[in-house]
Amino acid sequence: MWRIVVLMSVSVSVMCFEMDEDQIQVANFDVKPGGALLSFEKEWDGVTCKFSYQCQGGTNEEWTMGMVRSQDGRDFSCSVERPSGQSYLFFQAFKMEITGIPTAEGEVFGPEMTPLKQEEYKFDKVSNTITQTGKFHSQLDKVVLYARRGKSEL
C-alpha cells in the first residue's frame, strides 16, 4: 500500500505528460541527523539525481527519491520527499542536482506541502541545482527538479 502512495506522490510532482508504470523509479533512503554533509543519488537512463543535505534533531527519517520520465524519454522529474508526512528534522543545508540533462524549473516545499518562499531557495538553471539561501527557515518536506532533453535530430 505504501508503494502506491509513494508512486501517487511522485506522479503528482511530474510535469503533465502521459506515462506508464515503467516510466517511474523509486528508491527509499534514510535522512540522518548529526550535522554531517550526506547525500543520496540515483542514476537512470543517463540522468543522475543527487540530493545532499545537513540536518540536526530527532532520529533517522525514511525519505523517497522518485524519478519519472515521459514515454519519449525527453522529460524527467526528480523528487525527494518524506512520504509519511512532515519532517521533524532541522535542515541546515540542502542541494538537489541533476546531471545528464538540462533542468527547466524547480520547486521546494515545507510543512503541509506548502511551497517555500522564493527567498528561501535558489534555482540555478546553469548548474542544474536547487539549494537553500541564507533566508531558509530549516523546514523541508520535498524538493523537485524538472528537466527536459533537447530534440534529437534524425
Side-chain angles (χ1 to χ4, degrees), residues 49-100:
C49 183
K50 182 177 180 181
F51 177 66
S52 303
Y53 65 91
Q54 287 179 283
C55 64
Q56 295 285 351
T59 58
N60 294 354
E61 291 181 348
E62 185 176 62
W63 282 54
T64 299
M65 177 177 283
M67 295 179 76
V68 180
R69 71 175 176 201
S70 62
Q71 288 182 331
D72 65 6
R74 288 187 59 218
D75 297 312
F76 271 81
S77 78
C78 180
S79 65
V80 171
E81 64 185 296
R82 177 125 195 262
S84 64
Q86 181 176 340
S87 174
Y88 295 98
L89 296 174
F90 177 87
F91 282 84
Q92 298 158 284
F94 73 87
K95 177 180 180 182
M96 174 90 95
E97 60 188 302
I98 289 182
T99 55

Side-chain angles (χ1 to χ4, degrees), residues 70-139:
S70 62
Q71 288 182 331
D72 65 6
R74 288 187 59 218
D75 297 312
F76 271 81
S77 78
C78 180
S79 65
V80 171
E81 64 185 296
R82 177 125 195 262
S84 64
Q86 181 176 340
S87 174
Y88 295 98
L89 296 174
F90 177 87
F91 282 84
Q92 298 158 284
F94 73 87
K95 177 180 180 182
M96 174 90 95
E97 60 188 302
I98 289 182
T99 55
I101 189 171
T103 55
E105 65 180 280
E107 297 177 291
V108 184
F109 300 88
E112 299 178 20
M113 295 306 288
T114 303
L116 293 188
K117 294 178 183 174
Q118 283 279 306
E119 64 194 31
E120 291 188 71
Y121 66 93
K122 177 184 177 190
F123 169 65
D124 187 336
K125 197 170 185 173
V126 174
S127 66
N128 295 328
T129 61
I130 194 163
T131 59
Q132 85 290 336
T133 66
K135 296 187 178 194
F136 175 57
H137 294 287
S138 305
Q139 295 182 321

